[in-house]
DNA sequence: AACGGAAATTTACGCGCGTAAAAAATTTGT
DNA sequence: ACAAATTTTTTACGCGCGTAAATTTCCGTT
């Protein structure tokens, strides 16, 4: 930098200022710097730049499972928003492993990020660790809320969405049964089940829950196997199945197809299947999946907004914010 | 660190050595350090650690489109391998944008990574930029090879896989037509088309290519729209369709379903559809998709192996390595 | 117990940049 | 054109750690 300073005829402190914020120097000097920059292609050492700063301009993005297109899509959205806001996103996936999630937070802490956007694993998360982390670093949780953790949470209103689905399904046919994994990976599933039960009770319909075996993040496979098992056991009595999420529904659709069952709301259909999340692939299932859309755009937008607010203010934990968005019913052919 | 040194009764240079490689100090001192570490929870400043190192222990992973489950899966695999090898992976997605790909390389360069594993965008990539990058930093390209770029390439043998698919399809029914996008996003598609043509000629079958409109990475949607258009125009004369990749096939399956066509190789089926890549979702389409499996595990394993070799040796560009793996035919119900 | 080699300590300097303070130069307003 | 306000330069120090060289301490061996 010293060298580039003499080559460009600009003092080093001014260069330092420029690299930290190009707007902070006068237009004329900025032009001079940028012209010199083209000729000598110097770029500052980011490690030396950051070693004395309390925080960097990085924003950490942590998702539980990046191979899930749902999270991949949200991550993509968040990344681009961070860039637009002038920050550098760093993406991490916990790959469904709680110890990896802890490692990520530790590594993130030492990177001194300006803030972190995190979708926790859920049930398996080390809550105390996340709590400690979010005390030191501005952190917004999204997708899955764990018992009031963190400074803020942005997600969707599972109560609203399930009520809407139940109402829709009841109004257009038989009352739905709820299809879920035995061990809920995250709190959303529990909320959805409870919302289903409440919505059914409100309508005076008998609730019925079909629980299937399986653990891990291989939801489609679990849904297919569990679907077959439930078909075999004759558990789908009502003919309408409401799945706890789209990936499970995709597996169930596959099982139904393999059994020669016709899924849909039309004439001659055997069962109806609905999901939840508007997974990127739910548009392309056969038949296309009726579901509730999580508004990726609004969730990620709001998450970043809150985080930016958090980063500016000092009293981060004064009041925990919680924003829930309504889902939108996406009617397709499956129900 | 100075402070922690006096607290733990260990000299700072020894601590420095320990943090760089815990094995490099004597067992007894290592135990003392780790005991002190638990009490005082100190962790070194990564920026100060890295500023004087020529390279860090980071390995960059760059994929063209992370929302594509195919790349998400490979990225996941690579990340875990990097961790197992003692490196810290940093994941980037170009999101289909060439300028973003360039930005990522620039940012990566300033991070002084030990090496980079990169799946380029393909046609849209800034070749010269990638070339320059890979001259300075050990880089292994995978998935999509661009005209001999980089120090090494690991991918699959499109010639072998297409020949195998064509042979299988011809042997079990009518000869396939090739279904592809008008504008190929990456060289793999071109290779596959050419391999299709060659394989058909070798068998003495008449080749037929169905090109559909569309640009970008929204392959499923493009495949569906294009499928409908091709059905309308009566272009699918042979009744067997070989898609340039699985995502396109998923769209085509959706179109066929919407038209009430039965896809499969059984009695009473209208058309057969095959894909390529063994996309994570191809197992769950209706019917399940016949395709060629890219061996994720071997590709990522070999990529990292070569990269580690590259990192150790100095004469990186002496001979360009190129490793192609055979695909494995995955017979499912769609063809 | 003495010895030799390995490991740890002491001492000291450098890395590339942030940043503070005072002086100098430039721009702005009238 | 001149004073005031802003920006840049000069000077100097510090950050947290890497690392080299010389010295001392430790450990296992004979």
């Amino acid at each position: 930098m010293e060298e580039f300073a003499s080559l460009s005829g600009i003092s080093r402190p001014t260069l330092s200022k420029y690299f930290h914020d190009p707007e902070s120097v006068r237009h004329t000097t900025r032009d001079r710097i940028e012209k010199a920059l083209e000729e000598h292609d110097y770029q500052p050492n980011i490690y030396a730049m950051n070693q004395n700063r309390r925080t960097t301009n990085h924003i950490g993005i942590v998702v539980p499972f990046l191979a899930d297109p749902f999270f991949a899509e949200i991550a993509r959205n968040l990344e681009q928003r961070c860039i637009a806001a002038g920050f550098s996103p760093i993406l991490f996936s916990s790959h469904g492993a709680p110890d990896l999630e802890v490692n990520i937070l530790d590594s993130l802490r030492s990177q001194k990020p300006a803030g972190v956007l995190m979708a926790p694993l859920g049930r398996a998360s080390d809550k105390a660790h996340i709590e400690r982390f979010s005390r030191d670093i501005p952190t917004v949780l999204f997708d899955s809320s764990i018992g009031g953790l963190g400074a803020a949470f942005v997600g969707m209103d599972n109560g609203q969405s399930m009520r809407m689905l139940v109402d829709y399904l009841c109004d257009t046919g038989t009352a739905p049964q709820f299809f879920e994994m035995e061990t809920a990976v995250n709190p959303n599933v529990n909320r959805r089940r409870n919302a289903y039960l409440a919505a059914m009770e409100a309508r005076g319909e008998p609730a019925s829950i079909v629980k299937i075996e399986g653990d891990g993040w291989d939801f489609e496979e679990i849904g297919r196997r569990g679907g077959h098992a439930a078909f075999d056991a004759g558990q789908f009595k009502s003919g309408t199945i409401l799945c706890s999420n789209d990936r499970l529904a995709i597996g169930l659709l596959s099982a139904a197809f393999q059994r020669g069952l016709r899924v849909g709301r039309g004439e001659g259909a055997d069962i109806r299947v609905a999901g939840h999340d508007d997974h990127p692939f739910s548009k392309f299932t056969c038949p296309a999946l009726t579901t509730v859309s999580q508004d990726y755009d609004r969730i990620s937008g709001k998450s970043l907004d809150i985080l930016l607010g958090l980063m500016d203010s000092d009293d981060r934990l004064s009041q925990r914010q919680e924003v829930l968005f309504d889902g939108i019913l996406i009617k397709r052919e499956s129900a």
Side-chain angles (χ1 to χ4, degrees), chain A residues 1 4 10-27 29-35 37-38 42 44 49:
Chain A
M1 187 155 168
F4 177 69
I10 307 258
S11 73
R12 200 176 62 72
T14 306
L15 284 179
S16 174
K17 215 163 163 244
Y18 166 82
F19 282 117
H20 196 266
D21 178 14
E23 303 283 347
S24 68
V25 300
R26 211 183 287 147
H27 312 291
T29 51
R30 181 177 173 179
D31 291 344
R32 284 171 60 203
I33 294 174
E34 285 173 354
K35 208 181 70 190
L37 225 39
E38 283 172 18
Y42 155 84
M49 281 180 76

Side-chain angles (χ1 to χ4, degrees), chain A residues 16-304:
Chain A
S16 174
K17 215 163 163 244
Y18 166 82
F19 282 117
H20 196 266
D21 178 14
E23 303 283 347
S24 68
V25 300
R26 211 183 287 147
H27 312 291
T28 55
T29 51
R30 181 177 173 179
D31 291 344
R32 284 171 60 203
I33 294 174
E34 285 173 354
K35 208 181 70 190
L37 225 39
E38 283 172 18
E39 289 173 24
H40 303 93
D41 76 289
Y42 155 84
Q43 61 185 85
N45 180 315
I46 54 165
Y47 297 103
M49 281 180 76
N50 286 324
Q51 82 162 349
N52 295 322
R53 309 198 65 72
R54 223 183 73 261
T55 74
T56 65
N57 76 329
H58 298 308
I59 288 185
I61 300 174
V62 186
V63 296
F65 205 78
L66 202 47
D68 183 334
F70 171 77
F71 288 112
E73 188 61 32
I74 287 203
R76 193 176 66 90
N77 203 315
L78 284 173
E79 271 202 335
Q80 289 174 327
R81 281 177 188 279
C82 287
I83 293 172
F87 292 90
S88 300
I90 326 173
L91 185 56
F92 296 92
S93 166
S94 309
H95 300 314
D99 53 337
L100 192 52
E101 189 176 57
V102 167
N103 285 349
I104 288 169
L105 290 186
D106 285 346
S107 141
L108 214 37
R109 185 194 290 272
S110 71
Q111 289 185 49
K112 300 186 281 188
V116 170
L117 297 159
M118 174 177 196
L121 280 171
R123 182 174 57 87
S125 286
D126 183 336
K127 284 138 198 110
H129 207 274
I130 296 178
E131 178 64 36
R132 249 175 292 137
F133 182 84
S134 64
R135 262 204 298 270
D136 298 338
I137 292 167
T139 304
V140 172
L141 300 184
F142 64 95
D143 181 63
S144 157
S145 165
I146 322 183
L149 233 60
F153 172 74
V154 179
M156 74 175 308
D157 185 343
N158 289 297
Q160 177 268 342
S161 63
M162 290 307 284
R163 232 176 296 129
M164 184 168 61
L165 270 172
V166 167
D167 284 343
Y168 167 72
L169 292 173
C170 287
D171 290 344
T172 54
T174 56
Q177 296 175 268
F178 190 71
F179 186 70
E180 67 169 333
M181 285 167 62
E182 209 166 34
T183 50
V185 289
N186 73 34
N188 283 332
V189 178
N190 293 326
R191 293 211 187 79
R192 287 175 195 170
R193 183 196 329 101
N194 295 339
Y196 160 80
L197 292 172
M200 291 294 276
E201 182 162 359
R203 295 187 63 103
E205 297 276 1
S208 160
I209 292 177
V210 178
K211 274 189 200 291
I212 59 172
E213 281 179 23
D215 205 5
W217 285 78
D218 215 356
F219 298 166
E220 292 86 2
E221 186 61 39
I222 292 168
R224 170 150 70 182
R225 284 216 204 108
H228 277 304
F231 278 122
D232 286 338
Q235 291 186 72
F236 295 135
K237 282 161 288 193
S238 88
T240 299
I241 309 166
L242 175 49
C243 302
S244 62
N245 64 60
D246 279 355
R247 294 183 60 195
L248 227 44
I250 288 169
L252 181 59
L253 287 178
S254 167
F257 184 88
Q258 290 179 330
R259 299 179 146 251
L261 294 171
R262 290 194 50 186
V263 177
R265 56 170 188 261
E267 298 269 315
D270 300 303
I271 54 166
R272 296 190 301 163
V273 173
H276 193 293
D277 291 346
D278 198 22
H279 186 285
F281 275 60
S282 59
K283 223 188 327 186
F284 301 101
T285 56
C286 301
L289 189 61
T290 288
T291 186
V292 171
S293 164
Q294 294 212 36
D295 195 332
Y296 296 66
D297 228 55
R298 285 176 68 193
I299 289 181
S300 68
K302 188 71 187 177
S303 298
L304 189 55

